[in-house]
């Protein structure tokens, strides 16, 4: 453990003590060898321009205030050669804000010369509640209160629909193709659909962007889909159909369908 004495001279630790920005990150205790500068064919170290061995490969984490964070494992992968670095492995248990979606970058939202309004004309949901209950091993729910929340890097604020209640007794058995298939089909009232405001500094960028649709039931996220905007930009000012699959744990659970229209205002 002689190498751990070098931690007294660790540049990152010094930066944390002297820099408020660096102090927002957390790291597990280092108990492994310095990961740089290593020999490519053995476990030894090589010297370059007078550099001493150092921990240049790190896993740093920023968490929400008071959120749970446990460092379960932190070590270097000494079995990997072919580089003058050694990779670092971190296993961490953390509490996430659900739903978690990255917020819009400041540079993207600072210039609001043009705002695009994405108006939902129709919004329908078809969701396989039987498959959901089987996948999550949850007890059957008599009434599902569905809502859809809209997020994205280009959206200026959080939008969501009002809840629509679906009773289990109204399950459409005609759509069943497998034993666990029980489909809930609901339509959200057109008068209650949100007007989604997105930043539009560049139409070509907007065409490549997506709106993340999170499907919620009783404040639990039970699926998501990406609503693309390329056809909407192409048909600016015209109603455009959309149809996107809803996924949960890599499985298609249903679909969100409807019509939307784009209105650009100065």
């Amino acid at each position: 453990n002689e190498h751990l004495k070098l931690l007294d001279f660790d540049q990152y630790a010094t930066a944390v003590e002297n820099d408020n920005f660096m102090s927002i990150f957390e790291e597990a205790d280092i108990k492994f060898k310095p990961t740089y500068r290593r020999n490519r064919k053995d476990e030894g170290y090589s010297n370059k321009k007078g550099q001493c061995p150092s921990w240049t490969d790190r896993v740093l984490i920023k968490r929400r205030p008071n959120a749970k964070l446990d460092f379960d494992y932190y070590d270097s992968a000494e079995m990997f050669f072919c580089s003058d670095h050694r990779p670092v492995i971190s296993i961490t248990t953390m509490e996430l804000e659900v739903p978690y979606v990255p917020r819009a970058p400041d540079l993207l939202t600072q210039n609001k010369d043009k705002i695009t309004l994405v108006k939902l004309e129709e919004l329908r949901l078809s969701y396989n509640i039987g498959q959901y209950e089987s996948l999550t091993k949850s007890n059957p729910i008599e009434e599902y209160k569905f809502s859809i929340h809209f997020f994205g890097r280009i959206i200026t604020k959080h939008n969501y629909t009002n809840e629509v209640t679906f009773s289990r007794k109204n399950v459409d058995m005609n759509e069943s193709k497998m034993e666990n298939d029980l489909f809930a089909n609901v339509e959200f009232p057109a008068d209650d659909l949100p007007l989604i405001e997105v930043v539009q500094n560049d139409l070509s960028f907007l065409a490549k962007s997506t709106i993340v649709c999170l499907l919620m039931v009783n404040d639990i996220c039970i699926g998501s889909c990406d609503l693309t905007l390329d056809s909407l930009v192409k048909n600016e000012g015209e109603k455009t159909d959309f149809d996107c699959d809803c996924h949960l744990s890599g499985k298609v659970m249903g679909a969100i369908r409807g019509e939307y229209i784009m209105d650009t205002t100065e």
Side-chain angles (χ1 to χ4, degrees):
N1 295 327
E2 288 293 316
H3 60 274
L4 293 179
K5 294 180 179 179
L6 291 173
L7 284 172
D8 294 337
F9 308 95
D10 180 41
Q11 289 179 308
Y12 174 72
T14 302
V16 169
E17 293 178 1
N18 301 325
D19 189 329
N20 288 331
F21 174 76
M22 297 303 295
S23 64
I24 67 175
F25 296 97
E26 298 181 55
E27 182 183 26
D29 293 336
I30 292 179
K31 298 179 181 180
F32 50 86
K33 297 178 181 179
T35 58
Y36 181 83
R37 185 175 191 253
R38 306 296 293 272
N39 294 334
R40 296 175 182 272
K41 296 183 179 181
D42 57 54
E43 298 181 356
Y45 292 84
S46 60
N47 194 316
K48 179 182 180 183
K49 298 181 180 179
Q51 294 173 328
C52 67
S54 58
W55 289 268
T56 60
D57 308 280
R58 319 283 277 259
V59 177
L60 309 177
I61 297 177
K62 177 185 176 184
R63 61 169 161 173
R64 293 185 293 112
N66 302 319
K68 183 180 179 181
L69 176 64
D70 294 323
F71 295 103
D72 303 316
Y73 182 84
Y74 195 34
D75 203 353
S76 59
E78 293 293 322
M79 72 291 296
F80 290 99
F81 297 101
C82 301
S83 171
D84 55 6
H85 291 258
R86 293 295 181 269
V88 169
I89 302 170
S90 175
I91 300 176
T92 308
T93 302
M94 65 186 72
E95 180 184 16
L96 296 180
E97 180 179 0
V98 179
Y100 172 76
V101 179
R103 304 309 302 161
D106 292 339
L107 291 178
L108 187 61
T109 56
Q110 281 176 354
N111 180 11
K112 293 187 178 181
D113 292 337
K114 287 188 177 182
I115 295 295
T116 293
L117 301 177
V118 178
K119 183 179 180 182
L120 297 168
E121 297 284 343
E122 294 181 11
L123 184 60
R124 302 181 302 276
L125 167 69
S126 177
Y127 189 83
N128 193 335
I129 60 176
Q131 188 176 9
Y132 168 74
E133 292 169 354
S134 175
L135 181 65
T136 60
K137 295 180 172 58
S138 57
N139 294 325
I141 301 174
E142 291 302 320
E143 286 190 341
Y144 279 78
K145 293 184 178 181
F146 291 104
S147 64
I148 300 177
H149 295 238
F150 304 93
F151 295 88
R153 302 177 69 226
I154 57 173
I155 293 180
T156 61
K157 62 181 179 180
H158 174 201
N159 297 101
Y160 53 91
T161 67
N162 291 327
E163 288 184 338
V164 173
T165 301
F166 181 85
S167 176
R168 192 180 190 84
K169 63 183 180 181
N170 295 327
V171 167
D172 188 352
M173 298 299 296
N174 293 328
E175 290 193 32
S176 299
K177 297 178 182 178
M178 299 177 62
E179 181 179 354
N180 293 324
D181 281 353
L182 293 172
F183 280 89
N185 295 306
V186 298
E187 182 168 355
F188 295 86
D191 294 341
D192 294 333
L193 296 179
L195 191 63
I196 303 173
E197 185 180 276
V198 300
V199 178
Q200 185 237 307
N201 291 329
D202 186 308
L203 276 178
S204 61
F205 176 81
L206 191 65
K208 299 177 183 178
S209 302
T210 58
I211 295 175
V212 180
C213 306
L214 296 181
L215 178 59
M216 309 291 290
V217 168
N218 302 329
D219 296 325
I220 298 175
C221 182
I222 64 170
S224 66
C225 69
D226 293 332
L227 181 58
T228 60
L229 300 179
D230 51 348
S231 59
L232 187 65
V233 172
K234 182 179 180 181
N235 301 324
E236 181 180 353
E238 299 179 4
K239 290 184 180 181
T240 304
D241 294 331
F242 64 85
D243 185 337
C244 52
D245 289 336
C246 184
H247 296 85
L248 179 68
S249 301
K251 296 183 179 295
V252 177
M253 307 296 291
I256 295 175
R257 303 180 178 93
E259 290 183 343
Y260 54 2
I261 189 171
M262 185 177 76
D263 178 29
T264 301
T265 60
E266 297 294 334

